[in-house]
Amino acid sequence: MNFSAKEMIRKRKSVRTFDGRPLSDADRKNLEDYIHTLTNPFDVPVEFRLFDAKEHALSSAVIVGENTYLAAKVKREDHYEIAYGYSFEKVCLYALSLGIGTVMLAASLSRKTFEQAMDVRSDEVLPAGSPVGYPAEKRSIRENLMRKGLKSDERIPFSELYFDRTFENGLTKEAAGDFAEALEMARLSPSAGNKQPWRAVADGDKVHFYEQKSMKDSSLGDIQKVDVGIALAHFEMTMEENGVSGSFSFEDPGIKAPAGTYYMVTYERKR
């Protein structure tokens, strides 16, 4: 990783208003090189491609000034949503390190043309796409209204997202120890409707991640699991940047969870 994940996470804002310039040859090549070598810890391949918006008739009603789109597809298999969110967010953070703005979109995409461009097959799904370009100096009025309506800059307090060994005990940053900064970077993650559906329980050398479900599944799958994947990317990238190694596993610890809250995955740091 040749950029600071923590710096990009703090800097990252969803961009819906672009200045109209096409990507430079160097930036496009760097981005393409990155997406072609990207992997995820869940062993679910996610295929990315860059497309010219006009050539493929790609658009979104909420975007202004875009020339290029990033799209990704994945097979419907175990853990595909979290793998998708994890992978897509890493691309967005890398793009930002190049000065390129992004925003993950689902409902507002010209979905038929995106799926045609990506050649999405019956066992595959394209949960999201993103414009990629250089942010305009000023946001459009529409974008400002959207951000205000979604309360895009607000986040749920740390101790309401994260818990100490059980869901009955809110976790403080002091008690989180080596996990504190990584959990804080996960707290800053973007999410559909700014619902922030990830929850986590710190348990010794492990952190168990959960989804607090508040949106219905669609034909694309569970979009809130994609959001959990985004938070997992922030978490793991921060741990790695802080010099801590670890791994993910799917071993439900059996902790009693609130209604509508479901176990996703466990991270365990190595000693």
Side-chain angles (χ1 to χ4, degrees), residues 39-81:
T39 60
N40 65 74
F42 311 108
D43 297 323
V44 179
V46 181
E47 181 181 345
F48 288 88
R49 294 185 201 171
L50 288 172
F51 295 103
D52 178 86
K54 290 184 179 179
E55 179 182 350
H56 295 276
L58 306 179
S59 64
S60 168
V62 301
I63 303 301
V64 176
E66 79 278 26
N67 289 290
T68 307
Y69 276 94
L70 173 72
K73 67 178 182 178
V74 63
K75 286 188 176 181
R76 298 177 187 270
E77 57 183 272
D78 289 346
H79 318 304
Y80 77 88
E81 293 107 328

Side-chain angles (χ1 to χ4, degrees), residues 191-210:
S191 56
N194 198 26
K195 298 290 187 180
Q196 304 161 61
W198 51 89
R199 298 292 184 269
V201 177
D203 182 14
D205 285 336
K206 298 180 179 181
V207 179
H208 310 294
F209 288 90
Y210 294 76

Side-chain angles (χ1 to χ4, degrees), residues 14 42 45 78-79 89 100 169 178 198 213 226 235 247 253 259-260:
S14 294
F42 311 108
D78 289 346
H79 318 304
E89 182 65 2
I100 296 169
N169 303 314
D178 291 344
W198 51 89
K213 194 172 178 64
V226 174
F235 178 88
S247 60

Side-chain angles (χ1 to χ4, degrees), residues 16 145-154 192-194:
R16 298 176 179 86
L145 289 172
M146 286 184 67
R147 290 187 64 84
K148 183 177 180 180
L150 292 171
K151 299 180 179 180
S152 296
D153 295 318
E154 297 184 14
N194 198 26

Side-chain angles (χ1 to χ4, degrees), residues 4 6 11 29 35 40 52 61 65 90 116 122 131 160 172 182-183 192 195-196 198 201-202 218 259 261-262 268 271:
S4 169
K6 293 187 289 186
K11 186 178 178 181
K29 182 181 185 305
I35 65 179
N40 65 74
D52 178 86
K90 290 192 78 169
Q116 288 175 341
S122 60
E160 294 178 22
T172 65
L183 288 170
K195 298 290 187 180
Q196 304 161 61
W198 51 89
V201 177
S218 72
T261 302
Y262 304 97
E268 182 174 8
R271 288 289 188 177

Side-chain angles (χ1 to χ4, degrees), residues 161-167 169 171 183 199-204 206-210 253 255-256 266-267:
L161 285 174
Y162 307 131
F163 303 88
D164 191 353
R165 299 186 184 272
T166 78
F167 278 96
N169 303 314
L171 182 68
L183 288 170
R199 298 292 184 269
V201 177
D203 182 14
K206 298 180 179 181
V207 179
H208 310 294
F209 288 90
Y210 294 76
I255 296 170
K256 185 178 179 181
T266 294
Y267 174 90

Side-chain angles (χ1 to χ4, degrees), residues 219-244:
S219 59
L220 305 175
D222 184 348
I223 199 68
Q224 291 191 300
K225 286 183 180 177
V226 174
D227 295 336
V228 173
I230 294 172
L232 293 174
H234 283 203
F235 178 88
E236 187 184 47
M237 293 172 81
T238 301
M239 293 296 289
E240 289 178 348
E241 192 168 320
N242 287 346
V244 180

